């Protein structure tokens, strides 16, 4: 999927002085990448930085998501409207949005109650982004009117409200998984459910993890990448990354220092 590859490659480049190399990956081919830290958890309420967000954004989905040009496009919500008089947003959910397990098997539909549960948990906990509910999004109440309808009432009109809904802290969470796993929720691939374009089919902490194309995703036909394998290289140095890239083990690498000069004329060099 072109959008995925671009976002991932740019993320690597931003972390390494905006210069790097990336191979041309054919549509329909697997992608191999790396990152310098393990993912502590895939609990959306606990996510705090790009290490969490890169995976969450590919295996989970909120009401809306960012398109190729950073515009807002439908996610779990197919349509939405805002009532000026009551300061209330109404979201209609996609009846084809479903949760799958680590084998890509459908578990059930994503429902409005999954958002209510997630936001209740965020509001009640001492999480880094708890403040976003009331202080940033200005949310004063929310309700699952039915399985396919979520209403959200604000304290005041917020021009960037929809953008907030693309942030992982506002993703839905299936209550039954949290209740079954307790504090262990979000730490293993097998125990999570996923509603994004990919699901986590493998998660070997501090070694590698694999995002596999989700056949049950509501827009599965646009996801052309079968799988993305991300190797975890803790205590990473650029020389190691370049060596892996030259050996064909990874498809993108960020450059810094002497490697910028050495590789700047390579045909696969990328600058941003």
């Amino acid at each position: 999927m072109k959008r995925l590859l671009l976002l991932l490659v740019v993320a690597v480049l931003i972390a390494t002085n905006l210069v790097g190399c990336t191979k041309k990956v054919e549509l329909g081919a697997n992608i191999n990448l790396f990152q310098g830290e393990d993912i502590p958890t895939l609990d959306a309420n606990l996510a705090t930085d790009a290490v969490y967000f890169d995976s969450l954004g590919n295996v989970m989905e909120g009401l809306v998501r960012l398109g190729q040009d950073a515009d807002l496009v439908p996610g779990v919500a197919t349509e939405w409207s805002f009532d000026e008089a009551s300061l209330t947003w109404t979201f209609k959910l996609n009846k084809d949005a479903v949760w799958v397990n680590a084998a890509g098997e459908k578990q059930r539909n994503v429902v409005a109650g999954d958002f209510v549960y997630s936001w209740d948990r965020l509001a009640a906990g001492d999480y880094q982004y708890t403040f976003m509910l009331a202080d940033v999004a200005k949310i004063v109440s929310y309700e699952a009117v039915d399985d396919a309808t979520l209403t959200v009432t604000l304290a005041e009109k917020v021009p960037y409200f929809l953008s907030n809904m693309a942030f992982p802290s506002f993703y839905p969470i299936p209550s039954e998984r949290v209740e079954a796993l307790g504090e262990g929720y979000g730490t293993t691939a097998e125990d999570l459910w996923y509603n994004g374009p990919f699901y986590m089919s493998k998660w070997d902490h501090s070694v590698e993890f694999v995002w596999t194309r989700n056949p049950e995703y509501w827009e599965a036909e646009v996801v052309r990448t079968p799988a993305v394998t991300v190797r975890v290289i803790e205590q990473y140095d650029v020389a190691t990354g370049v060596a892996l890239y030259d050996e064909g083990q990874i498809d993108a690498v960020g450059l810094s220092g002497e490697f910028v000069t050495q590789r700047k004329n390579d045909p696969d060099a990328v600058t941003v």
Side-chain angles (χ1 to χ4, degrees), residues 49 65 71 110 185 208 233:
D49 58 32
R65 56 188 172 89
D71 53 328
V110 180
Y185 173 75
E208 70 176 15
I233 308 175

Side-chain angles (χ1 to χ4, degrees), residues 51 57-58 67 70 76-77 107 109 135 137 143 149 151 175 182 190 196 210 218 223 227 243 254:
V51 174
N58 283 289
V76 176
Q107 302 302 295
N109 286 78
D135 296 343
E143 179 186 3
T149 309
T151 58
S175 61
E190 294 77 17
V210 180
W218 63 271
V223 184

Side-chain angles (χ1 to χ4, degrees), residues 12 22 26 38 44 52 57-58 60 63 69 74 82 134 145 155 179 196 216 228 272:
V12 171
T22 179
E26 297 294 328
D38 192 17
Y52 302 79
N58 283 289
M60 306 288 187
L63 291 166
D69 300 316
F82 180 65
V145 178
E179 291 166 0
E216 300 292 340
V228 180
V272 178

Side-chain angles (χ1 to χ4, degrees), residues 27-43:
L27 285 176
N30 293 335
I31 297 173
N32 297 285
L33 300 171
F34 78 95
Q35 67 181 40
E37 295 179 53
D38 192 17
I39 311 167
T41 179
L42 284 178
D43 182 336

Side-chain angles (χ1 to χ4, degrees), residues 228-259:
V228 180
T229 298
V230 184
R231 178 182 299 199
V232 178
I233 308 175
E234 296 177 334
Q235 299 180 340
Y236 166 81
D237 63 83
V238 178
T240 299
V242 170
L244 291 171
Y245 181 82
D246 288 340
E247 292 167 6
Q249 295 190 46
I250 57 176
D251 298 320
V253 64
L255 302 177
S256 61
E258 62 186 280
F259 292 99

